[in-house]
Amino acid sequence: MIDRILAWDLNEWYLLGWSAGLVLLYWMVPRRFGRVTFWMIWLFVVFLVQTADYILGVPPYDMYDFLDKPKWELPYGVAQFTLYPMIGYFFLYGFDRWEPKGWRLAGYLLLWSSASTVFEWSCLKTGVLKYKDWQLWYSFFTYLSVFVLEIVYFRFVKKWLRQEGMGWRRPEKT
Amino acid sequence: MGLLFFIAFLVPIAMYYRRMEKTLRPVENAAMYLFLAILDQNVLAQLTIVFSLYDMTQNKWLIWALFLNRVVTAPLALLIYLNLIVRQHNWAARLGITAAMLAVVLTMEYCSVWLGLITYVKWSAWLSPLQWLGHMLLPILFWRWFRRLLRKEALS
């Protein structure tokens, strides 16, 4: 196990660095959502990421590979459970904070989709990700769809929590 | 053929879920469905990609049947199981429901093998009941934790 960790190079540390950085940021920024809302977001994003990767990233489609081997690797497993849910969390954090509507919502979605595509481009450059039959612009539209789905899902979560007589934001301490 | 077979399998399960009286609240049903689907995907990924105990189909159509089976039908069946089991206080009834649901998920798995969606490499058929029992018990623990979280937050 230690041998494997020592054998990690830039791509593994790049992915783990981003994962750790975003988890740290989560602890640093004021909590906005309640714990139930947080876990609902976490479950949804992990579900989406894994569904996409286990269909598109493995044979027969096999459109891309992560890290050095066409196999499951621990740093990618860590990223699936930390990095991507944190991106989803911060997207909804901003959405709930600024409540963009109309053109501002379109701009907000474009900004997050572009930033995510730039991040993916950096993953390509550092060897985290290797495309086979995939293109960077597919990712832009995939991210756009995922962020729209997140907003729709978030509205459902708020509705379900209201049915329980609860709010989705962190309860105020009395 | 495989895809049609699993669509035919999904329809009665989805209809039963839609019509049944649900014990779990909507937020719990959503959380449990996602948890079950994540659990299922990860177990399948570990067994195929990491440990090579199974082989997944290389057919571009059949992979969608496998997706439907593992990400939609099986989690939905187990969600029905959860909704039924948590309202039971009688151990005989719990055992009966568990046995019936185990039969459903095992039928789905053995049909996946028969239709070529998965191939056992170093896996034995008798390990599957144990694996699915784990799939049925682990979500109950997760649900207990989630309900406690829900209650705690509702009270605060």
Side-chain angles (χ1 to χ4, degrees):
Chain A
M1 183 69 188
I2 291 170
D3 291 349
R4 279 191 198 168
I5 293 172
L6 289 174
W8 287 351
D9 47 25
L10 176 72
N11 52 9
E12 281 92 357
W13 290 115
Y14 185 76
L15 200 56
L16 289 173
W18 270 100
S19 305
L22 286 180
V23 171
L24 201 67
L25 189 66
Y26 167 76
W27 287 107
M28 284 163 66
V29 297
R31 300 283 159 80
R32 186 165 187 86
F33 301 129
R35 287 175 72 192
V36 173
T37 314
F38 170 81
W39 285 110
M40 291 303 285
I41 296 169
W42 186 90
L43 284 167
F44 186 67
V45 178
V46 172
F47 170 75
L48 281 185
V49 168
Q50 293 200 328
T51 303
D53 286 348
Y54 291 145
I55 290 177
L56 301 174
V58 297
Y61 290 100
D62 204 13
M63 299 175 109
Y64 47 82
D65 274 340
F66 278 96
L67 302 172
D68 304 316
K69 292 170 242 165
K71 284 226 145 208
W72 188 90
E73 288 184 71
L74 183 65
Y76 183 62
V78 172
Q80 276 187 331
F81 290 102
T82 53
L83 174 68
Y84 298 105
M86 284 297 126
I87 293 174
Y89 171 83
F90 286 119
F91 167 76
L92 287 176
Y93 189 106
F95 176 77
D96 191 55
R97 168 79 178 72
W98 292 297
E99 296 178 351
K101 286 181 180 76
W103 285 106
R104 290 183 66 177
L105 176 60
Y108 187 71
L109 283 166
L110 284 176
L111 185 75
W112 272 90
S113 307
S114 308
S116 303
T117 311
V118 170
F119 173 70
E120 188 161 315
W121 174 80
S122 75
C123 286
L124 281 171
K125 292 292 164 195
T126 47
V128 170
L129 194 56
K130 286 167 201 81
Y131 287 164
K132 290 174 175 173
D133 288 325
W134 192 259
Q135 305 275 334
L136 194 59
W137 66 272
Y138 296 173
S139 295
F140 175 81
F141 290 102
T142 308
Y143 289 126
L144 192 62
S145 318
V146 165
F147 288 132
V148 171
L149 268 179
E150 264 201 67
I151 290 175
V152 174
Y153 171 76
F154 186 55
R155 289 195 172 141
F156 273 108
V157 171
K158 289 201 285 191
K159 189 181 118 187
W160 294 328
L161 290 176
R162 263 190 240 114
Q163 283 173 358
E164 300 300 317
M166 292 165 62
W168 62 93
R169 294 204 180 117
R170 191 182 189 203
E172 298 277 332
K173 279 186 181 157
T174 49
Chain B
M1 163 77 178
L3 192 55
L4 285 176
F5 184 88
F6 280 102
I7 290 172
F9 219 110
L10 171 64
V11 172
I13 289 176
M15 278 171 65
Y16 182 79
Y17 175 74
R18 196 178 142 83
R19 288 185 184 174
M20 77 181 292
E21 190 193 329
K22 291 167 191 76
T23 322
L24 271 58
R25 293 152 178 164
V27 69
E28 288 177 310
N29 273 305
M32 289 317 302
Y33 172 78
L34 293 171
F35 176 80
L36 286 160
I38 292 169
L39 180 68
D40 224 0
Q41 290 193 108
N42 279 284
V43 169
L44 188 66
Q46 294 298 314
L47 292 179
T48 52
I49 305 166
V50 181
F51 296 106
S52 305
L53 300 177
Y54 286 176
D55 260 349
M56 279 196 292
T57 177
Q58 300 292 305
N59 182 297
K60 287 189 177 181
W61 279 101
L62 281 183
I63 197 80
W64 289 102
L66 188 62
F67 166 76
L68 193 70
N69 180 14
R70 291 300 180 118
V71 181
V72 184
T73 317
L76 204 57
L78 293 175
L79 191 58
I80 291 173
Y81 167 73
L82 262 175
N83 273 284
L84 292 174
I85 201 91
V86 296
R87 73 168 79 136
Q88 297 297 333
H89 299 288
N90 178 335
W91 277 101
R94 284 182 178 173
L95 213 63
I97 294 167
T98 305
M101 196 46 80
L102 192 61
V104 171
V105 287
L106 281 175
T107 305
M108 278 198 278
E109 171 155 336
Y110 296 141
C111 285
S112 311
V113 176
W114 173 58
L115 290 163
L117 272 61
I118 52 172
T119 313
Y120 292 156
V121 181
K122 290 178 236 163
W123 186 261
S124 305
W126 63 267
L127 284 169
S128 297
L130 295 177
Q131 181 219 319
W132 283 106
L133 266 176
H135 273 231
M136 293 161 91
L137 298 176
L138 198 63
I140 296 176
L141 298 177
F142 178 82
W143 169 74
R144 286 193 171 171
W145 170 79
F146 191 76
R147 175 157 275 195
R148 217 170 25 237
L149 191 70
L150 207 59
R151 281 196 183 145
K152 222 163 126 182
E153 210 158 272
L155 289 174
S156 58

